[in-house]
Structures are given as structure tokens and as C-alpha cells.
Amino acid sequence: MVIYGHQNGHLMFVMEPITSLSVVRQTLQTTQKCAEECNQDYGLVTYDLNAAKPAMQIQARESPTFDNIFIRLGAFHIEMAFFKALGKLMAESGGSDMLTETGVLAPGSLNGFLTGKHFNRCKRLHPLLALAFESLHFKVFLQTCDFKEELHTLISTVQTITNTEGEPGLELMISTDLFKNCATQYSKYTNATLSGAHGYTAQFWMTYVEYINLFHRLERANRTNDIELFVFTLTPIIDLFFATAHINYSRWLTKYQLDLLNIDDTHPGLREILNQGAFTVRRTEHDFSRIPVDLTLEQTINADAASRLTGITSFTNDYSARLRWMITKATRASCISLLQEMTGLISKEDVTAELRPRRIQRDNEDLQKIIKQILDTNIPFETNNVSEVLYNISTGKGTSEEICQSLLNVPTKGKARPKDFIESCKNDPNKFESPIKKEKLKTFEDGCATNRRTNNTKIVALKGTRNLIGRLLVLATRKRLDMQHILQYPLIPVPLSMASPDEVMTKTDKSALFDLLENKVKDIEQRPEKVSAYIIDGQFLLHSLPPKLPPTYGELARSIISQSLTSPAKRIHIVFDDYPQPSIKDTERDRRGSDNRTFVITGPEQRRVPRDLNDALKSRSFKKQLPQFLANEWQDPSYANILGDREVFLDVPGECYNFQVKEGVIQRDTVDGLRNNHEEADTKICLHSLSADCENGDIVIRASDTDIAVILLYHCHRFQSRLWMDVGTASKNNRRYVNVTAICKELGPGLCAALPAFHAFTGSDYTSAFVRKGKI
């Protein structure tokens, strides 16, 4: 979207995910082009967090190419994340029950409210709930203060002036000594509540009120285009994100705030442009009606070009039809929006919607309902019954001391963590993208009883079976049995030192060995410098795809290749397992829940059943069919734009294919040197690594498997390239690089050569571990 004064324009759409590096780079280039055409020194671009991360990384890595662009995080998405953090704190606290019990919030909408996904509900109901608590808190203050009569007189005067004289009379009243004295006393009383003097439950809910006041300041900054207020408000919001373990926003919002603070040094003159109105969007002539750029996008083109009920859905699988639809999307959205405005069906969103008499009446009615419900249930601010227990205001159930201290210390811990993070980044810039240790926050939910279920199909042995010999000895003593004769016969068909009584191999935690190896180079903070090849474990790739995937196999293939091309390497290898039968690994696959369902993938338009990819991956048939389908689907000409100048090697059972674009056309060739009959991707990955070996480069293996690490260490002496493993996931905040070459040097050739035998002897997918004996 491009903003011209009070009008919004739309650029050409890109038919690829915004998180794709090539698409993000294209948006940066488009921003530069727009700035050049408008004779501007700088380009402004606003992203949500998922797109802002790769954009900032590209800008830093390719400096000074995109240094004239200022990248912003969308304030609308920041507010949604803020509401999610608040929902995490107040879940099962009783506050949301006050909303559902009064009918202000439907029970079916509760989850969307707590997770921040229902933005309009959060924006309306959080302030109402906070106002209800603050009204009750002020009422208790009136009962305890020393000048009750003067306060009641002041309140009556304020109400009279509001109805008769309006704003000038109120400004005069605020300047009186009585009002100032009242405000000072209430501020002291509020600080006492926040310090816990009036009970832990009162402290918790007044902290919640303070967070909602913080939201009001952020909203005011957006409404008035006040950059200084916006930057000031970000500090406590970042503190809250650190305290509630919102790691991505904690990291990148800190950078965004620092970028805003240093804008005069990095982009001289841009602050004046932002202050003149480029920071937010004003779509009406009303004052106090500005809104964030990303919210404008949601209210305009995303709303006008999509169905109000279902959004943008997969209405066709024809590539040409989708291309035409995307090309004309901006024009259609503009026409639809203008037509609806001309006919009076819609009006531009602005602040006046919240000040209409019917809306004010509804808010007042709902506020009174909430206050009455709290009064009828449990008032947390009662001074005659101060309790040093944090309890649920709906049920009266108290929390444990651990949960209580965890919740009440959120503001304190939140202030300390950002300072430590900034200091560590100052001392070592590589620390910025290193995993941030999550704050172990205990909430009301942790004190609730839960039903734990598992889908693991592992057979659990009955406890006490291993004590059979002891029981036999007791019986032999009592019954005078000949144990020498009895022990001539096996008691069970498998040795209990290596298997369970149901004849299942004993398993051990293989990752313990990987953690031990990684700790050998834990103090070495390094990253690959020049990645010549990026090799991906196919099964790991499929399991790491986002949960919400498109419904057809053709769109799934696009998602897979887009996910694979997030690395900057020019050469990408994707390696899949083979599934011959019978196999030495059949027992292990059965233990993991493998099934015998048959899948047939007929083409890209076929809809996926089941929709849950993890469920489908339990089938051996599906895991055979999918790689073969990808090998055929990626020949489609539409993939040329996605692949660009990259080279993709796809290792499927029995074959290895090379995909690259030549003269604008996808070309698929068979790679004879990489054709193999290996069953496991673990050994195939080593083969592909050797084929990509070069003297000055890094080879990165994207996998989280101890078997692969052991095999690579065994063969490490054969490589000229430096070997790395890209392990962990961003969703768990543990994604990191492990320097395999450094580990090899630390261990030495003798230990590396012995590792495979040690790994097999202590338990792997094919061999049993010893009972009660781990890897280390």
C-alpha cells in the first residue's frame, strides 16, 4: 500500500509468501523505487513481525544497499501481541469470568479474547474491565481517606461543571488546590496498592489497570501521530514481552525502538517527515482519528478484496486464473470501496464510531454489569480483609506462593531483562540473534487441574516386573524350592537388561549425546560466513512447516520449496528417507505410531486428506508418495520465479534430481553421482555434503538428529569445507548453529572414529540401550 496525502494507493501484488526472502527483498527494492519516483531521500516501509525480521536482516547483511529505507514494525500487530501477553497473565484469574458471566463476552469468544486474535473485542473490553476495577479501587479510597466530605463535594462539582460549562470549566477545576490534593492522595494510595500494601490480589489487578493505561498511551500516540510518546510507551511494553516470554517481539521491538531513537543520526530529516503525518494514516478529516499503517491495510484492501466471512480462500487451482485475480486485486478493492462509500453501505473507520450515543450507552451499560458482577462475587480491594494470598476473584481459590510471586514480580523482572539484553548485545553484536532464555512465568493456569493424555503408542511395562527374581527368592525360601533347577530355564524370552517384558527394546535419550558434544564448543560464538550449500533433512523440513497449511498438494509443494529457500545459499539439497519393506527400522517406526494407510497423490489440484500433515506423515505410503510428487510438480514453469538463481537438489528414493532455471525455464536433470540405495537420510546427507565440498565455504545441515551429527563427525576429516548444523526451531526459541568442524578438532580423530560404535552400543534406532543407563 502507498499513501498519498489522505488517499491510499495499492501496488502490484506478489504471488508468494511475504516471509520468503526473495519477496522481502523485492518489497525493499519497490520501496526504494517509490521513494525515487517521489523525489524522497528515504523510503518508509511497514511490516508485521514475520516480515520485518528478514527485512532487517537483509538490510544489515547487504548494507549500504538498503540503508535509505526505514523499516517499521506495525503498531496494530504490536497491540495484538500486547493483548496476548495480557491474556496470558489474566487467564484463569477470574477477570475473564466477570465478562462471560455478565454476557458482555460470549463464552465462545473467550479464547480469541485471551490470545489477542479478536482485536476489536480486546480493544473494547480490556479498557471496560480495567475501568471497572479502577472505579471500585477509587470507591474504596473514598471510604478510607481523611477528607470524605470535601471529596464528595468535589465530585458533585465536577459532574455539574461537565454538564454545564464543559471543557473550560473542567480546566479551571483541575487547577484548584482541592483537586490537586485529591489527586496527590489518590496517587499515593494507588502506589501503596501496587506495592502490595492492600493485598496481593489488589496488587495484581491494579497492575493490570496500569497495563491498560499503557495501552491508552500507545493508542493516543497513534491517534495523534506523536512519535516521542510512542517511543516512550514502547519501553514498558518491551518489559512486558520479556517477562511473558514473547521472545521475538522482545528482541525485534527493542531494535525498532533503538532505530527510532537514533533516527536523526541514521536518517537525518526523516523525523520531520514522520511528524508531518507519515507515522500514521489519517483517512478522515476528524481530529484524533489517525490509525496505524498495518491497520489501514486490514481495513481497506484486505477487507475489500476478500469475503467478509471467509477471507481470501482457495477458489481455484488454475495458475493463470490466480494470477489474473492477484493482478486485478488492487483495482477491484478500490472500486468496491468507492462503490460502498457512494451508496452509504460503509463509512471510513474513525474515532467518532466510539463516540456515537448508542455506543456510549452500550459501553456504560456493560461497565455497570461488570462492576455489579465484581461486587456480587469478590472485591479485591477491600481494606478490612487484606490477604497476602493471590486468589481467583471468581472462585476464591488461592494460588501457590510460587505462582503468586511469579505474577506479582512481572513488572520488576520485565525491567531487568531488556537492560541485560542490550548490554550483552553491546559487548557482542552476535548475541542479538542468539537464543534468549525464556522467563519461567507461572500463571493461574499452572495451578489448575489438567487431564493429561498422550498419543504415544509405546507399550509401557508394568512396574515391579524387574523385581521378579527377588520375589522368586522369597518364595523359594518359604516353599523350599530348588533355585538352581529353576534358573536353568529362561524367565522371559528377552534379556531384561536391554528390553521390557513385552519384548520392546529399551530406548534412551539420544539428544543427551548431542548436548554433550555441543557443550564442547559452547563458548565459541560463531556463525557460518559463506554458505556454499544448505542441506535439509526432508522429514525435519515437513515436521517444521507451520500448522496452517494450504488445502491442496500443489499449494503444499509451493510452501515446501518456499520454506527450503529461506537460506541465502545458492545450492539447496533436500534429502528424504526411503521406506523399503522389510526394514531393520520397522520396529522403531511401529513404536512411533506408523500406520499402513495407502495414499495416492494424483496431481496438484488434489485436496489433502487428512488436512493435518503430521497425521499423514504417520503413513509410510504418504512418505513415499510425497517426494515423488514434489519431483514432478517442481518442473512446472510457475516455479521459475520462486527458484530464481538457486539450484535445488531433491533426493528421493532411488533417484536424485537437480532443478535450476535456464533461460527462464525450469530444467530437471538426473544426478547420477548422487543416485544411491541408502534407506536413511542420515547417510545420504553425508553423501550430499561431500558432493558440495569446496575449499573456501561453509556447508550447513538443517536437521536435529544425533545420528547425523555422529556420522558427520566420523567423516569430518574428509572435508575441506567447514561443517555446521542448523538445529532447533524458532517457535521454541532454540534455533542455533553448531560448529561440527570445531567439535571434531576438540575431540580429535580417535574419538570421532569411535563415536559411531559408541552410539550404537549405548542405544540407537536399531539397537537397544541398557536399562537405567543413558548416553552419558
Side-chain angles (χ1 to χ4, degrees):
M1 181 179 71
V2 183
I3 303 170
Y4 305 97
H6 299 331
Q7 300 296 322
N8 303 325
H10 306 296
L11 297 171
M12 180 68 69
F13 279 77
V14 182
M15 284 188 55
E16 297 298 335
I18 183 58
T19 51
S20 172
L21 289 178
S22 59
V23 174
V24 174
R25 182 178 286 103
Q26 183 178 343
T27 62
L28 293 173
Q29 293 170 345
T30 303
T31 303
Q32 285 184 322
K33 186 177 179 181
C34 291
E36 182 181 350
E37 292 179 357
C38 296
N39 295 321
Q40 296 290 330
D41 294 331
Y42 305 111
L44 277 172
V45 59
T46 304
Y47 297 107
D48 64 7
L49 181 62
N50 288 333
K53 288 192 297 182
M56 290 179 177
Q57 290 167 338
I58 291 172
Q59 187 182 47
R61 186 168 58 244
E62 300 184 13
S63 178
T65 304
F66 299 112
D67 285 358
N68 66 328
I69 295 178
F70 189 80
I71 299 173
R72 299 177 51 208
L73 284 176
F76 164 61
H77 288 86
I78 294 174
E79 290 178 349
M80 290 183 68
F82 177 76
F83 286 137
K84 183 179 180 180
L86 284 184
K88 185 175 183 179
L89 294 178
M90 69 179 296
E92 299 296 336
S93 64
S96 55
D97 294 338
M98 300 299 105
L99 301 176
T100 55
E101 290 294 328
T102 56
V104 174
L105 177 67
S109 303
L110 178 59
N111 185 60
F113 171 74
L114 293 176
T115 57
K117 294 180 179 179
H118 294 175
F119 177 74
N120 287 332
R121 287 193 181 94
C122 291
K123 183 181 174 183
R124 175 176 178 264
L125 297 183
H126 273 298
L128 280 181
L129 183 61
L131 182 57
F133 280 118
E134 189 156 25
S135 299
L136 293 172
H137 182 256
F138 187 74
K139 184 178 292 186
V140 174
F141 163 72
L142 291 178
Q143 297 171 359
T144 58
C145 67
D146 299 330
F147 45 97
K148 298 179 184 178
E149 295 183 2
E150 291 87 344
L151 277 178
H152 285 293
T153 302
L154 176 64
I155 293 171
S156 300
T157 306
V158 169
Q159 291 174 341
T160 303
I161 292 176
T162 303
N163 296 328
T164 57
E165 301 181 27
E167 187 174 342
L170 283 176
E171 291 180 356
L172 184 62
M173 173 58 66
I174 290 173
S175 62
T176 62
D177 293 337
L178 180 61
F179 184 89
K180 291 179 179 178
N181 183 38
C182 175
T184 302
Q185 293 300 320
Y186 181 65
S187 177
K188 291 180 179 179
Y189 185 83
T190 301
N191 290 334
T193 304
L194 290 170
S195 65
H198 303 143
Y200 288 161
T201 307
Q203 179 183 357
F204 175 79
W205 286 111
M206 276 310 293
T207 303
Y208 169 75
V209 171
E210 288 297 306
Y211 280 129
I212 299 304
N213 291 336
L214 181 63
F215 163 72
H216 287 314
R217 289 201 294 272
L218 183 65
E219 188 72 358
R220 181 180 182 84
N222 290 325
R223 293 281 191 182
T224 59
N225 201 75
D226 191 334
I227 302 174
E228 283 71 24
L229 179 60
F230 182 85
V231 174
F232 175 77
T233 309
L234 285 184
T235 299
I237 291 178
I238 293 171
D239 295 347
L240 177 64
F241 286 153
F242 268 101
T244 53
H246 282 63
I247 299 302
N248 285 327
Y249 267 103
S250 301
R251 176 186 285 117
W252 295 100
L253 195 57
T254 301
K255 182 184 185 308
Y256 178 45
Q257 185 187 36
L258 292 174
D259 288 345
L260 287 171
L261 289 170
N262 297 322
I263 194 171
D264 293 329
D265 297 327
T266 59
H267 299 76
L270 184 57
R271 182 185 296 275
E272 288 74 16
I273 296 175
L274 294 175
N275 284 328
Q276 290 171 7
F279 192 68
T280 51
V281 179
R282 181 175 178 178
R283 297 174 57 213
T284 72
E285 296 300 325
H286 297 284
D287 293 330
F288 203 73
S289 64
R290 290 182 172 275
I291 58 177
V293 174
D294 47 338
L295 180 57
T296 306
L297 186 65
E298 296 292 335
Q299 291 180 352
T300 54
I301 188 167
N302 284 356
D304 296 334
S307 166
R308 296 280 180 171
L309 299 177
T310 60
I312 302 173
T313 59
S314 178
F315 59 89
T316 178
N317 289 310
D318 182 78
Y319 174 78
S320 300
R322 292 203 305 268
L323 182 61
R324 289 193 299 271
W325 189 85
M326 293 299 290
I327 290 174
T328 60
K329 180 181 177 183
T331 305
R332 281 186 291 105
S334 300
C335 292
I336 293 171
S337 177
L338 289 172
L339 180 62
Q340 289 178 328
E341 286 184 28
M342 290 171 62
T343 55
L345 294 176
I346 63 169
S347 60
K348 293 181 179 179
E349 296 285 342
D350 60 77
V351 72
T352 57
E354 299 174 9
L355 298 178
R356 291 171 183 165
R358 183 66 188 94
R359 172 65 181 270
I360 294 175
Q361 181 184 353
R362 180 190 174 195
D363 287 347
N364 283 331
E365 290 173 354
D366 288 344
L367 175 63
Q368 296 307 317
K369 290 179 183 178
I370 297 170
I371 292 175
K372 184 178 184 302
Q373 183 65 31
I374 298 174
L375 288 171
D376 294 342
T377 308
N378 201 327
I379 305 175
F381 306 112
E382 288 289 356
T383 55
N384 57 356
N385 188 22
V386 176
S387 174
E388 294 188 355
V389 175
L390 179 61
Y391 56 83
N392 181 309
I393 61 172
S394 177
T395 64
K397 178 184 176 182
T399 64
S400 65
E401 181 65 20
E402 181 184 12
I403 294 175
C404 174
Q405 293 303 318
S406 179
L407 286 171
L408 296 182
N409 289 330
V410 163
T412 305
K413 290 183 178 179
K415 290 179 181 179
R417 291 292 301 278
K419 294 179 181 178
D420 295 339
F421 174 67
I422 294 173
E423 285 300 319
S424 65
C425 292
K426 284 182 180 178
N427 298 329
D428 182 5
N430 291 327
K431 285 283 187 181
F432 178 75
E433 292 196 46
S434 298
I436 299 175
K437 185 178 179 181
K438 286 187 176 182
E439 187 69 39
K440 294 181 180 179
L441 178 66
K442 295 285 185 179
T443 65
F444 281 93
E445 282 189 315
D446 294 302
C448 299
T450 56
N451 294 323
R452 300 187 181 277
R453 296 180 297 176
T454 178
N455 294 325
N456 194 351
T457 56
K458 177 182 176 180
I459 302 173
V460 180
L462 293 175
K463 293 181 180 179
T465 307
R466 301 185 186 282
N467 297 324
L468 179 60
I469 188 68
R471 294 167 59 191
L472 280 175
L473 287 173
V474 173
L475 288 173
T477 304
R478 292 180 180 177
K479 304 281 186 182
R480 297 182 179 180
L481 299 176
D482 186 356
M483 287 297 295
Q484 185 176 1
H485 177 72
I486 292 174
L487 293 178
Q488 291 178 0
Y489 303 94
L491 302 178
I492 199 167
V494 293
L496 290 178
S497 61
M498 302 183 72
S500 61
D502 50 24
E503 304 180 25
V504 174
M505 289 192 306
T506 302
K507 306 303 296 182
T508 187
D509 182 11
K510 296 191 299 181
S511 63
L513 176 59
F514 186 86
D515 294 339
L516 177 67
L517 295 172
E518 184 182 1
N519 286 333
K520 295 288 184 182
V521 293
K522 199 72 173 180
D523 297 333
I524 305 176
E525 289 287 345
Q526 295 181 352
R527 297 172 64 86
E529 296 176 358
K530 182 181 179 182
V531 181
S532 58
Y534 194 74
I535 302 171
I536 308 172
D537 181 351
Q539 287 301 313
F540 180 83
L541 172 64
L542 295 178
H543 282 286
S544 61
L545 291 174
K548 293 183 179 180
L549 291 170
T552 65
Y553 282 107
E555 293 168 319
L556 176 63
R558 288 181 177 274
S559 298
I560 292 172
I561 196 169
S562 297
Q563 184 82 359
S564 305
L565 296 177
T566 54
S567 167
K570 298 294 184 181
R571 181 168 175 163
I572 310 293
H573 296 247
I574 307 171
V575 184
F576 284 96
D577 292 315
D578 194 2
Y579 297 89
Q581 285 185 312
S583 168
I584 192 175
K585 204 174 178 180
D586 283 344
T587 303
E588 175 66 15
R589 288 176 180 142
D590 290 339
R591 186 187 72 84
R592 294 178 181 176
S594 178
D595 61 44
N596 295 318
R597 287 176 295 172
T598 301
F599 282 81
V600 177
I601 303 178
T602 58
E605 298 183 5
Q606 180 183 346
R607 300 185 75 83
R608 296 189 299 110
V609 178
R611 289 291 299 274
D612 186 355
L613 183 62
N614 289 328
D615 187 21
L617 287 172
K618 295 178 182 178
S619 168
R620 299 179 188 181
S621 171
F622 179 81
K623 289 187 284 190
K624 285 182 178 181
Q625 290 272 321
L626 184 60
Q628 295 292 347
F629 166 72
L630 296 178
N632 296 324
E633 171 65 12
W634 288 351
Q635 298 180 87
D636 190 276
S638 61
Y639 285 86
N641 292 331
I642 302 176
L643 195 57
D645 59 349
R646 308 288 191 89
E647 192 175 3
V648 172
F649 293 81
L650 178 64
D651 192 315
V652 300
E655 287 291 349
C656 181
Y657 299 105
N658 170 255
F659 297 85
Q660 54 184 318
V661 179
K662 293 183 178 180
E663 297 180 356
V665 179
I666 288 277
Q667 182 171 323
R668 188 188 80 172
D669 298 315
T670 302
V671 185
D672 294 332
L674 292 176
R675 183 187 289 118
N676 60 80
N677 60 355
H678 294 199
E679 178 178 350
E680 286 281 304
D682 303 352
T683 54
K684 292 182 180 183
I685 285 174
C686 190
L687 175 64
H688 281 257
S689 300
L690 283 169
S691 73
D693 192 22
C694 62
E695 186 174 353
N696 296 315
D698 295 316
I699 297 176
V700 178
I701 293 91
R702 176 69 173 131
S704 287
D705 195 329
T706 305
D707 298 345
I708 296 175
V710 169
I711 295 171
L712 289 174
L713 285 169
Y714 179 81
H715 291 285
C716 192
H717 67 279
R718 304 172 62 182
F719 286 87
Q720 299 181 66
S721 301
R722 292 178 296 274
L723 293 180
W724 300 78
M725 287 188 69
D726 181 359
V727 301
T729 58
S731 61
K732 294 182 179 179
N733 190 40
N734 62 353
R735 187 164 181 179
R736 62 203 183 278
Y737 289 103
V738 178
N739 192 333
V740 178
T741 302
I743 295 175
C744 180
K745 292 179 180 178
E746 185 73 21
L747 296 179
L751 279 179
C752 289
L755 268 179
F758 171 81
H759 183 46
F761 186 74
T762 54
S764 65
D765 290 345
Y766 308 98
T767 58
S768 175
F770 292 98
V771 173
R772 302 190 184 98
K773 298 292 183 183
K775 288 283 182 183
I776 56 177

